[in-house]
Amino acid sequence: MDFPQPIDSRLAQVQGILDTAFFAPLYKNDWLAYRFGQPSFLRLEDSEVFDLFVRAALACEVILPGRAEGRTPLAWLWDLDDSHAVLAQVLASLRFDRPLLFHRALLSLPAVTRQEIKPEDFELVEDFLMKALGQSQLDLAEAAAGELATLHERALRAAGQDPEKPDPRLARWAAEVLAKPKAAELDSEAELRLWMALGDGLQGVPPELAPAVMAQAWAQWVGAVVGSDPDLAMLGRMHPRLDLSAAELAGHAPPEKSETHQISAVCPICGAKSEIRVGPEIRPLTSCPHLIYVGTGDEVHLLEALGNFRVGEDFRELLASYYQSPSDLDLFSTVVNDLFEMLLNQGRLAVAPVASASAPQAFYNLLAFFQKREEEDPSRNPPRAH
């Protein structure tokens, strides 16, 4: 078995300093949490990041059309002076599509949990959310930026650099490190540091500059995620699905309520196509016996799909109690996701994307869930002993 070579002592010292950040590990998907000051948006899944981005960018275009012209949707989000109006629209749109994410965001607002603001006092949910957001200031980015500056300076000193006058080659080498395809694939700054310390992240960098380049690359990566040093090119490499043009974004806009579309999904179990007409009314057109639910990947929707399996009533009541407790929401998500993954791995549950010929991208967040019937799975029904 091959063992990694010992890390240069200065490299190890820099690694140790960066590891003390209060936000470590920081994930690339956390950038929306820092952009909107919402801790409920930390640790999002890729599908959630894309969904929130699309909703936020579409809201930006409507609320601030003048700032959208001639720039990418990713740039629109970073140029918001006051994000409350956009975030209120986004949260309101999550109520039915991603109820757990909406619930988590709502319970993270102090003005709501202290009942200083109540939804029944407002005619529109958007007005209620705007008021609640305005009285629940949480500047995650400012705190992270201060921590980033402090640790960056300490790490440069440990690497033998003067933070006031660092070697001018550092920025160039750090940019080369971050431009490597592998850098865009890493999910967190912890993985970035590990790749530079033990992998080939610093390959080609002059050895005497390696510790300082690690500190510089880390600072630029973190700065792009928390927004203290916005780098849309880097963010676009981290999240290629978000690097949309305005025209591409428009294709993801939800259909008007008066429009009628037909959505379909091919069953992974029997190969049949199930079709549903959606619009002012929802009506199944054709369906195979395996289709059980159509919804998003939100855990509340997953639980609806899981309800078609042998999930006991007491178990569902226990999950409901977790859902009502802000401190237990992560436990709720964990249990639901673990059960979902177990059924997937057993082959008893299958998932397929939803397609629509008339609006190819508008139903990007929907999934179709299919259940293999027990009579079709001999392993679930072993022969009885005689």
Side-chain angles (χ1 to χ4, degrees):
M1 177 177 179
D2 294 331
F3 290 90
Q5 295 298 313
I7 306 173
D8 177 270
S9 59
R10 284 188 300 158
L11 204 61
Q13 189 175 359
V14 169
Q15 168 83 318
I17 290 171
L18 303 182
D19 194 38
T20 65
F22 74 80
F23 49 69
L26 176 74
Y27 294 86
K28 67 180 182 181
N29 283 354
D30 290 344
W31 74 275
L32 279 172
Y34 286 90
R35 181 62 196 88
F36 288 112
Q38 284 300 305
S40 59
F41 289 171
L42 292 168
R43 310 298 187 264
L44 294 176
E45 298 173 2
D46 290 345
S47 60
E48 293 173 321
V49 170
F50 183 73
D51 200 359
L52 286 176
F53 169 76
V54 167
R55 294 168 192 265
L58 290 170
C60 280
E61 192 172 22
V62 172
I63 296 171
L64 302 166
R67 295 192 178 187
E69 189 173 352
R71 298 186 304 161
T72 65
L74 202 53
W76 304 347
L77 290 190
W78 281 119
D79 194 34
L80 288 173
D81 294 328
D82 182 357
S83 62
H84 289 164
V86 169
L87 186 54
Q89 293 289 332
V90 171
L91 293 181
S93 72
L94 293 177
R95 286 176 297 161
F96 304 110
D97 290 346
R98 293 196 177 272
L100 177 67
L101 194 51
F102 172 77
H103 191 64
R104 179 185 286 128
L106 199 63
L107 294 181
S108 73
L109 301 177
V112 174
T113 55
R114 292 194 298 258
Q115 295 191 324
E116 297 170 354
I117 301 174
K118 300 179 181 179
E120 57 266 26
D121 295 333
F122 298 83
E123 291 186 15
L124 298 175
V125 66
E126 291 84 356
D127 293 340
F128 159 67
L129 292 168
M130 271 284 288
K131 187 71 172 178
L133 290 167
Q135 294 190 17
S136 303
Q137 296 289 345
L138 293 169
D139 201 338
L140 300 178
E142 184 177 350
E147 181 83 343
L148 168 60
T150 299
L151 293 184
H152 184 205
E153 181 177 329
R154 285 181 56 200
L156 286 178
R157 290 190 188 280
Q161 295 285 327
D162 180 356
E164 300 297 325
K165 296 180 181 179
D167 191 309
R169 294 174 293 171
L170 293 185
R172 177 174 64 84
W173 278 113
E176 289 194 19
V177 169
L178 294 171
K180 294 180 179 181
K182 179 64 176 178
E185 299 171 5
L186 302 173
D187 287 330
S188 70
E189 52 81 32
E191 291 184 6
L192 175 72
R193 288 186 279 112
L194 193 62
W195 173 60
M196 290 190 288
L198 295 176
D200 59 358
L202 297 177
Q203 186 173 4
V205 176
E208 70 276 9
L209 289 179
V213 170
M214 171 188 274
Q216 186 65 32
W218 174 87
Q220 290 178 207
W221 193 97
V222 171
V225 173
V226 303
S228 60
D229 184 19
D231 187 332
L232 297 183
M234 189 189 307
L235 208 58
R237 292 197 301 272
M238 292 179 187
H239 300 279
R241 290 187 71 197
L242 308 188
D243 201 13
L244 300 173
S245 67
E248 290 170 330
L249 175 70
H252 291 81
E256 296 292 334
K257 293 181 179 180
S258 58
E259 294 179 0
T260 297
H261 293 274
Q262 191 167 304
I263 62 175
S264 64
V266 176
C267 177
I269 298 170
C270 68
K273 179 187 285 188
S274 294
E275 298 175 310
I276 302 173
R277 181 174 296 160
V278 296
E281 63 174 339
I282 298 176
R283 185 160 66 89
L285 300 177
T286 61
S287 180
C288 75
H290 304 103
L291 180 66
I292 53 175
Y293 190 72
V294 175
T296 70
D298 185 90
E299 283 80 0
V300 172
H301 286 187
L302 296 185
L303 186 58
E304 287 294 328
L306 295 174
N308 290 273
F309 295 82
R310 291 178 300 194
V311 179
E313 189 60 32
D314 290 339
F315 178 69
R316 291 179 65 89
E317 288 184 11
L318 176 64
L319 287 179
S321 71
Y322 291 160
Y323 188 69
Q324 297 303 322
S325 171
S327 62
D328 290 331
L329 285 177
D330 286 342
L331 182 58
F332 173 89
S333 298
T334 299
V335 173
V336 171
N337 278 298
D338 285 351
L339 180 57
F340 177 73
E341 291 294 333
M342 182 190 77
L343 293 172
L344 277 180
N345 293 333
Q346 290 177 348
R348 299 164 62 193
L349 176 66
V351 182
V354 167
S356 173
S358 56
Q361 302 299 329
F363 302 97
Y364 65 90
N365 61 339
L366 290 183
L367 298 170
F369 299 86
F370 298 86
Q371 178 185 18
K372 176 178 282 189
R373 303 299 176 181
E374 290 196 10
E375 62 269 18
E376 299 175 312
D377 187 358
S379 66
R380 305 298 302 174
N381 294 284
R384 293 181 181 179
H386 294 287

